[in-house]
Every structure is written in C-alpha cells, then in structure tokens.
C-alpha cells in the first residue's frame, strides 16, 4: 500500500507539473506601465493564439528594475522599459536577445528606430511607443508663459504659485542641465553638480509642492493643487480629450533649451517562462494595424512606419508629433553605468533628502 500510495503521489505530482507547464505554454505574462495597453488588443491576441495574457504593472523604472533583480526574470515574458534603462538591463543580464527570424514585422519600423544607440540593431528590444516629456502649466495663471524651463527654475517668473518637479531623477536633472545651458543629455560631473544645486535651491522654495510624476502631475493641475509640473505628451492629450472642460486651461510645452524624447520598448527577460509566445506577442504589436490601434488608444506616437495610414489625425500633429523646431531640441536621456551611475545616484539622493 505504501508503495502504491507513493506511486500515486508521484503520479499526482507529475500531473501537476504537466498542468503547470501547459499553463505556462498557454499564458503570456506581461509587465507594463499602467494604462498603457488597449484591452481590445489583448483580447485579439488571446483569441488569435488561444492563450491567456496576465498583466502586471509598474509605476517607475526603478520599481521594474528592482522586481527583475528580485527574481522577476522568471515571472514575466515581456517587459516594457524606457530607452535609458535598456543598456542597464542588457549589461546586468536581465534580458535575452531577440530572435529576429520570429519577428517578421520588425521591417515595419521607421528608419530612426531600426538601429538605435541604446540597442544597436534592436538586438534585445523592439520599440513599443515613443513620446516626449515637457512642462504642463495653467494658462490662466501664466497667459504669456515663456517656452522655457525658467517657468520652473526662475523664481522671478513664478514667484508665488505652487509647482512640482518630476520624481524621475534623470528627467529633473536633465531639465536643470538644459536650463543652465549644458544640454538636456549632459553627463559632465561639474554640470551635474551645478544642476543638483539648482534643483536643491528650487526644491527649497516655499511654493515647491513635491516630486510628482506624469499622470498625478496632471491631476494636481486639474485640482488646482499646483500650477506647473512635468508630464508626458500622450498623458496630457489623453486627459484633455477625455475631459476638455477641466483641462481647457492646461497646456503642454517643450522648452526651447531642450527636453526629453523617450522610447518605450518590448524586451524578453532572461528566464522568461514562455519566450516563444513572447516573440509572437512582440510581432503582433509590430503589426501595422495593431500598432496604430495601440497609439490611437493611448495617444502616444507610433514607431511603426506601416501604421501611419491607420493613425487618427490628432496623432500626426503636436503635441504627439512635435514640430520640426521642437524635434531639433529633443534628446534621449543618457544611459548611465559604473562610476557615472553611482555619482548620479548620490547627487540625486542628496537632492531628495536635503
């Protein structure tokens, strides 16, 4: 009896393992930003491949990076980091190379996204969406606002109204660098120290309301909690289109000193449960019509050349598609590693703690 019971238990264990393996084969685990995927796209993918998609969300790149470092590489099939975290993910071995033979739709990409500096040849990543980070402000408070970071950093331009900075350290530091004339993408140590001091001085003004990212910054402006902040062009347009009355007096602006252009990309973690299905999902997103559907849903620009004929008109003009002058002033946030990363993190910690 004991032997039979032991065999029965072993058989049950084998069935459970087989069931788990089957569940993994039929399930894609997606780790993405919140409110960044059209549910109809997920439904269509599930129906096409007879699978289930399980979505988990992160609110910041450090949060995503920490979860991957804590064992998340075996929990997710596709992640969606921003461009300046991609080299860090590659260097730390948290992601695997893409098999381009399984990605027929990579040819749909615009030329500028086919061989990016952050991942030459798209060896590890495929672009998902792109956009810009700029200033949002109340036009009633600032009817003649300068097209400049001075709206945040020059107290004489805004002596009395509450304002917020972005909690993403590299974005806030880049903004300060641009205002000081060092360029948004500066990496010079002396420029960083000067920018960090400017951020400290700005933070210590009585009207500073805190470090607020993206969507919450827009919500604070809508409630009148602050009058100036930083956010993303797609988030701004989405809220303005959804509630034009509330956001009638809120505008988005790319400072002429320079601002951030970013790309979010799809990558496969190094120990993904189902890399084959991950490749199918990435290729599905790169389809011309699906790529357009994604942008039409979340109001961000598509890196997909083949998607252009299917895009809503609003996505072909500012603020989603920046003007030629603004494009000339946009820069990618630089990727940092080693001593440069350590120095930056120390400076940013001092800014936030003092």
């Amino acid at each position: 009896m004991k032997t039979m019971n032991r065999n029965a238990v072993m058989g049950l264990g084998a069935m459970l393992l087989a069931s788990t393996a089957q569940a993994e084969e039929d399930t894609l685990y997606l780790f993405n930003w919140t409110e960044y995927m059209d549910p109809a796209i997920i439904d269509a993918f599930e129906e096409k491949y007879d699978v289930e998609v399980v979505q988990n969300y992160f609110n910041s790149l450090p949060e995503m990076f920490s979860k991957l470092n804590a064992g998340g590489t075996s929990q997710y099939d596709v992640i969606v980091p921003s461009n300046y975290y991609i080299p860090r993910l590659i260097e730390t071995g948290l992601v695997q190379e893409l098999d381009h033979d399984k990605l027929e739709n990579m040819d749909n990409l615009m030329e500028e996204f086919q061989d990016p500096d952050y991942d030459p040849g798209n060896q590890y990543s495929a672009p998902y969406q792109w956009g810009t980070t700029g200033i949002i402000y109340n036009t009633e408070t600032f009817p003649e606002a300068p097209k400049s970071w001075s709206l945040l950093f020059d107290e004489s331009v805004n002596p009395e109204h509450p304002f917020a900075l972005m909690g993403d350290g590299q974005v806030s530091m880049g903004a300060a660098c641009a205002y000081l004339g060092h360029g948004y993408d500066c990496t010079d140590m002396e420029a960083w120290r000067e920018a960090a001091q400017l951020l400290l001085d700005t933070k210590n003004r009585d009207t500073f309301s805190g470090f607020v990212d993206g969507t919450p910054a827009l919500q604070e402006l809508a409630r009148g909690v602050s009058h100036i902040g930083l956010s993303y062009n797609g988030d701004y347009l989405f809220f303005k289109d959804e509630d034009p009355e509330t956001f009638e007096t809120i505008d988005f602006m790319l400072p002429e000193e320079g601002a951030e252009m970013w790309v979010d990309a799809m990558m496969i973690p190094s120990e993904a449960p189902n890399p084959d299905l991950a490749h199918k999902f990435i290729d599905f997103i790169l389809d011309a019509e699906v790529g357009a559907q994604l942008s039409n849903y979340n109001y961000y620009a598509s890196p997909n050349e083949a998607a252009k004929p299917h895009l809503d008109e609003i996505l072909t003009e500012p603020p989603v598609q920046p003007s030629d002058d603004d494009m000339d002033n946009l820069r990618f946030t630089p990727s940092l590693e080693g001593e440069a990363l350590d120095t930056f993190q120390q400076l940013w910690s001092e800014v936030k703690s003092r």
Side-chain angles (χ1 to χ4, degrees):
M1 288 288 292
K2 288 181 180 179
T3 302
M4 289 181 63
N5 287 340
R6 179 173 179 272
N7 287 339
V9 170
M10 289 180 65
L12 177 60
M15 285 191 293
L16 287 172
L17 287 172
S19 175
T20 301
Q22 183 64 37
E24 288 182 350
E25 289 176 7
D26 293 342
T27 305
L28 178 94
Y29 296 91
L30 174 63
F31 196 30
N32 200 355
W33 299 89
T34 56
E35 302 296 329
Y36 207 24
M37 171 58 72
D38 183 353
I41 291 177
I42 297 297
D43 292 342
F45 180 78
E46 290 177 328
E47 182 176 352
K48 179 174 182 177
Y49 291 102
D50 191 24
V51 295
E52 179 185 3
V53 177
V54 175
Q55 298 188 76
N56 288 281
Y57 307 99
F58 56 87
N59 292 305
S60 71
L61 291 167
E63 177 190 345
M64 177 216 64
F65 192 78
S66 295
K67 287 190 176 181
L68 290 177
N69 263 322
T73 53
S74 62
Q75 297 175 11
Y76 307 113
D77 293 303
V78 177
I79 59 174
V80 189
S82 298
N83 52 282
Y84 65 97
Y85 259 69
I86 288 175
R88 199 177 307 179
L89 290 164
I90 295 170
E91 289 294 324
T92 52
L94 295 174
V95 290
Q96 60 181 269
E97 290 187 34
L98 298 178
D99 184 346
H100 283 229
D101 290 338
K102 297 179 180 179
L103 300 172
E104 296 180 1
N105 289 325
M106 284 286 273
D107 292 339
N108 286 342
L109 293 176
M110 296 175 184
E111 184 178 352
E112 54 264 45
F113 296 103
Q114 290 183 7
D115 190 28
D117 290 342
Y118 58 80
D119 180 22
N122 293 111
Q123 190 174 356
Y124 289 86
S125 66
Y128 178 81
Q129 298 274 263
W130 72 273
T132 61
T133 308
I135 291 177
I136 49 172
Y137 65 99
N138 188 311
T139 57
E140 288 187 332
T141 310
F142 304 100
E144 298 180 3
K147 192 175 170 65
S148 167
W149 289 111
S150 64
L151 196 58
L152 281 169
F153 297 124
D154 186 342
E155 190 171 6
S156 68
V157 176
N158 173 32
E160 57 181 328
H161 298 287
F163 66 95
L165 292 171
M166 187 165 268
D168 186 319
Q170 283 196 251
V171 174
S172 283
M173 188 78 87
C177 277
Y179 174 68
L180 292 168
H182 302 306
Y184 177 85
D185 54 351
C186 76
T187 55
D188 178 78
M189 298 301 170
E190 286 306 313
W192 273 356
R193 290 188 178 93
E194 190 179 345
Q197 185 60 56
L198 174 61
L199 289 169
L200 268 174
D201 294 342
T202 303
K203 172 190 170 186
N204 288 327
R205 283 158 47 189
D206 291 340
T207 51
F208 176 66
S209 62
F211 292 100
V212 188
D213 288 335
T215 297
L218 282 160
Q219 293 167 336
E220 286 198 355
L221 258 75
R223 298 196 306 270
V225 174
S226 65
H227 293 245
I228 315 167
L230 286 91
S231 193
Y232 311 111
N233 57 340
D235 276 18
Y236 162 75
L237 187 59
F238 175 83
F239 276 89
K240 194 174 184 71
D241 192 59
E242 287 285 301
D243 189 357
E245 184 176 349
T246 298
F247 286 85
E248 181 181 4
T249 60
I250 297 174
D251 205 353
F252 177 90
M253 171 257 291
L254 293 171
E256 60 186 4
E257 299 98 338
E260 181 190 32
M261 171 183 172
W262 50 261
V263 179
D264 288 336
M266 297 171 284
M267 305 184 80
I268 303 177
S270 56
E271 300 175 271
N274 199 340
D276 286 337
L277 190 57
H279 279 88
K280 288 184 173 69
F281 181 79
I282 292 172
D283 203 49
F284 187 77
I285 297 298
L286 294 176
D287 174 81
E289 293 190 16
V290 174
Q293 181 180 346
L294 178 63
S295 288
N296 291 337
Y297 172 79
N298 62 31
Y299 290 81
Y300 283 108
S302 175
N304 194 323
E305 181 72 31
K308 282 185 175 180
H310 309 288
L311 292 172
D312 292 342
E313 185 177 355
I314 196 172
L315 302 183
T316 65
E317 55 193 32
V320 175
Q321 178 57 55
S323 68
D324 290 343
D325 287 343
D326 282 336
M327 285 296 295
D328 288 342
N329 296 326
L330 295 176
R331 299 291 184 271
F332 283 130
T333 293
S335 299
L336 304 176
E337 56 185 349
E339 185 178 347
L341 178 60
D342 291 340
T343 300
F344 175 83
Q345 289 176 331
Q346 181 181 355
L347 286 169
W348 181 242
S349 294
E350 290 183 16
V351 168
K352 295 199 77 174
S353 62
R354 286 169 56 186

